[in-house]
Amino acid sequence: MIEIRDKKLCSGCTACASICPVNCISMERDEEGFLYPVVDKSRCIGCGLCERICPILNKKKDEKIAPKAYAAINNDLSVRMNSSSGGVFSLLADYILDNGGVVFGASFDEKFNVRHTYIERKEDLQKLRVSKYVQSYMGNSFKKAKEFLESGRLVLFTGTGCQIGGLKSYLRKDYDNLITQDLICHGVPSPLVWEKYVAYRGGENCEEISFRKKFADETKTCFYIKLKNGKEYAKLPNSRDPMVRMFLLNKCSRPSCHACAFKTITRQSDITLADFWGINTVYPKINDGKGVSLILIHSDKGKKLFDVLRDKMAYKEVKFKDAVRHNKMYYKSALKNPIRKKFFKDLSRLPFDKVIKKYGWGLL
């Protein structure tokens, strides 16, 4: 049975809990706010399936084949302004939805917790747009995706590298009607820290939250909160916000993020999307300050979808080494902050405003 002895070896993907034939594995929160599998030994039948499909225990070989790389922007500026980078995710999602498919991704719930969900209508696409720097709660997303796939529906499943790895392991076979898209991940902060931060900023009075809100007259993204009474909190650039700073400085990331098993050149996804950091040294002509996407193509399915969408974007093929030169999180794990242990100790014993004052600042 699955047993977590070293937390660096569990990304919380939920593949083991999803695959269990007797549903004896539950995902339970530890003292840092991260979910880990716990086995009810009285119900376990000892089939070993949970261990056999774990994407970390059964890590895929990195073929080290450099993907095709592109700098791209969505031709629709209004979509880009409501996206984290160049608005390419929306093109992928629109295609899937136009063809009767389903799109999975991370969304805020009514309390601004981050949860994986799915949409079937374009009107709901904004829920999945824009980065959310928190580990999403997967729930039964893998099982729902399989149901849609088995029924013949086209599915786009988006997530972090470990979530895509978990899904592929859970499915145990390739589906022609599945397209997967991961992102270049810096790491996932604790949902517990995020819950405390939302409460600190207004809790149930929050009406809108964006980690990366764009304004027409700015070239940098803003961390933004709007309360129901109309009051606004904004930090421009977003890196000035204490929650974002704690994320960027790796003070509250999941242990597995510091030894990520998915920082490989060859990805399990069909497509990787990210901000194109360093675009001005590669292709400055495309950069108007409103966001540029980096697209990395890993499979024939990814290439075919890109080809279908070419006319809806401005793009240029670039060398892989240039594409990731300023985006080292593609192949490097986030460094563990030496004060991480002390941070979580203080989180458990100090009022959160004091935690913010102590850990929410500092140089990047």
Side-chain angles (χ1 to χ4, degrees), residues 296-309:
L296 298 166
I297 307 294
H298 304 288
S299 70
D300 289 340
K301 279 196 288 187
K303 180 63 164 58
K304 288 177 181 177
L305 181 55
F306 175 80
D307 288 342
V308 168
L309 301 174

Side-chain angles (χ1 to χ4, degrees), residues 5 36 66 71 78 101 138 142 182 211 235 280 323 351 353:
R5 297 185 179 90
Y36 292 90
S78 64
M138 296 301 291
F142 290 175
D182 74 335
F211 278 89
K235 285 295 181 182
N280 284 335
D353 60 336

Side-chain angles (χ1 to χ4, degrees), residues 27-255:
M27 300 298 295
E28 298 187 10
R29 181 180 276 195
D30 73 352
E31 66 280 359
E32 295 181 348
F34 296 107
L35 296 177
Y36 292 90
V38 175
V39 179
D40 181 346
K41 296 180 180 179
S42 67
R43 297 168 54 206
C44 177
I45 60 175
C47 67
L49 190 55
C50 53
E51 287 188 313
R52 292 199 302 274
I53 60 92
C54 173
I56 293 181
L57 294 179
N58 303 280
K59 185 178 177 180
K60 301 289 186 183
K61 182 181 178 182
D62 185 4
E63 301 294 340
K64 300 188 183 302
I65 300 173
K68 289 279 189 180
Y70 301 87
I73 59 174
N74 190 319
N75 289 336
D76 188 333
L77 180 59
S78 64
V79 172
R80 268 205 295 154
M81 291 302 293
N82 286 287
S83 305
S84 291
S85 49
V88 172
F89 161 71
S90 294
L91 293 177
L92 307 183
D94 280 348
Y95 175 83
I96 300 298
L97 296 171
D98 283 340
N99 286 276
V102 185
V103 180
F104 284 78
S107 173
F108 286 129
D109 67 12
E110 66 280 357
K111 294 183 179 179
F112 292 98
N113 298 309
V114 182
R115 296 177 177 273
H116 245 68
T117 188
Y118 64 89
I119 62 168
E120 300 178 82
R121 306 182 308 161
K122 285 188 177 182
E123 304 93 280
D124 297 324
L125 185 52
Q126 187 57 37
K127 295 178 182 179
L128 307 186
R129 289 188 182 125
V130 186
S131 302
K132 300 168 183 73
Y133 300 145
V134 187
Q135 181 161 36
S136 60
Y137 174 72
M138 296 301 291
N140 66 346
S141 293
F142 290 175
K143 291 182 178 181
K144 289 299 297 183
K146 185 175 182 179
E147 288 177 14
F148 286 125
L149 291 168
E150 292 287 349
S151 70
R153 298 278 295 276
L154 190 59
V155 172
L156 171 63
F157 199 101
T158 71
T160 59
C162 56
Q163 289 170 339
I164 299 301
L167 173 68
K168 290 292 190 75
S169 293
Y170 164 76
L171 293 174
R172 292 187 288 173
K173 74 173 188 177
D174 192 23
Y175 286 82
D176 291 338
N177 52 328
L178 171 65
I179 296 172
T180 54
Q181 176 249 302
D182 74 335
L183 48 94
I184 298 181
C185 181
H186 183 92
V188 288
S190 162
L192 175 61
V193 176
W194 174 241
E195 288 170 17
K196 288 178 177 287
Y197 192 67
V198 172
Y200 171 74
R201 289 295 178 197
E204 62 183 17
N205 294 313
C206 292
E207 184 177 89
E208 177 187 351
I209 298 180
S210 176
F211 278 89
R212 299 182 61 179
K213 192 174 183 68
K214 292 180 181 177
F215 294 101
D217 57 345
E218 294 288 346
T219 60
K220 295 181 178 180
T221 56
C222 171
F223 183 91
Y224 178 83
I225 297 177
K226 182 179 180 181
L227 300 181
K228 293 176 181 177
N229 62 9
K231 290 185 178 180
E232 297 174 301
Y233 165 83
K235 285 295 181 182
L236 183 71
N238 66 344
S239 58
R240 291 180 57 206
D241 173 76
M243 180 68 204
V244 177
R245 295 179 82 84
M246 290 188 293
F247 157 64
L248 292 173
L249 292 170
N250 308 319
K251 294 178 180 178
C252 54
S253 298
R254 190 179 181 99

